[in-house]
Amino acid sequence: QSQFAEFGGRLTHPGGSLRLSCNSAGFPSNIYAVGWFRQAPGKEREGIACITGAGYGDGTSTIYARSVRGRFTASRSGAEDTIALQMRSLKPEDTGTYYCAIVRDAPWGRCPDSISPGDFRAWGQGTQVTVSS
């Protein structure tokens, strides 16, 4: 079974907002940095955000791909082992299946600089986001 489960994807309009949730299947995802990814039909999977593990360094930090920076926000503000992705000012090009996964290599709490899919593991099934007028 998949290690993560993603929820919250739906159809919305350009300029709208959505909040996605990434829930672990009972493992301590708070220890690991967690990445958000998306894949449009016929496109390669793209890393869009990463949040550090709780307690890593001096506090939680995030990094974002240029395509979503300033519009998307990852957080651990919800229940334990739940990571949220707040998306605003959505564009048609944001359409795709959204996934979360944990960092593959130590140090487990650090986000890789590139948010490359190959640096992550324990993928969920994904949740579909469609942005259309």
Side-chain angles (χ1 to χ4, degrees):
Q1 298 185 36
S2 298
Q3 296 295 304
F4 277 111
E6 300 91 346
F7 301 93
R10 63 175 175 86
L11 172 67
T12 191
H13 58 85
S17 298
L18 286 175
R19 186 176 179 88
L20 306 183
S21 296
C22 172
N23 303 132
S24 70
F27 70 95
S29 60
N30 63 306
I31 300 297
Y32 299 90
V34 175
W36 280 99
F37 304 82
R38 67 186 181 189
Q39 188 164 21
K43 302 287 188 178
E44 295 182 350
R45 188 168 297 185
E46 174 192 15
I48 57 172
C50 184
I51 183 167
T52 58
Y56 179 80
D58 293 331
T60 301
S61 63
T62 52
I63 60 172
Y64 302 93
R66 282 192 287 270
S67 58
V68 306
R69 191 175 300 146
R71 299 188 298 119
F72 292 11
T73 303
S75 69
R76 292 181 182 268
S77 59
E80 188 175 0
D81 295 333
T82 298
I83 300 91
L85 184 69
Q86 181 68 49
M87 307 185 295
R88 54 174 283 272
S89 301
L90 285 163
K91 307 173 181 179
E93 52 263 44
D94 294 320
T95 294
T97 304
Y98 283 69
Y99 303 87
C100 55
I102 59 172
V103 69
R104 178 171 55 84
D105 298 326
W108 314 113
R110 183 179 65 85
C111 288
D113 292 342
S114 63
I115 325 179
S116 298
D119 293 332
F120 292 79
R121 65 179 179 88
W123 300 90
Q125 291 182 306
T127 185
Q128 179 67 37
V129 172
T130 302
V131 184
S132 176
S133 60

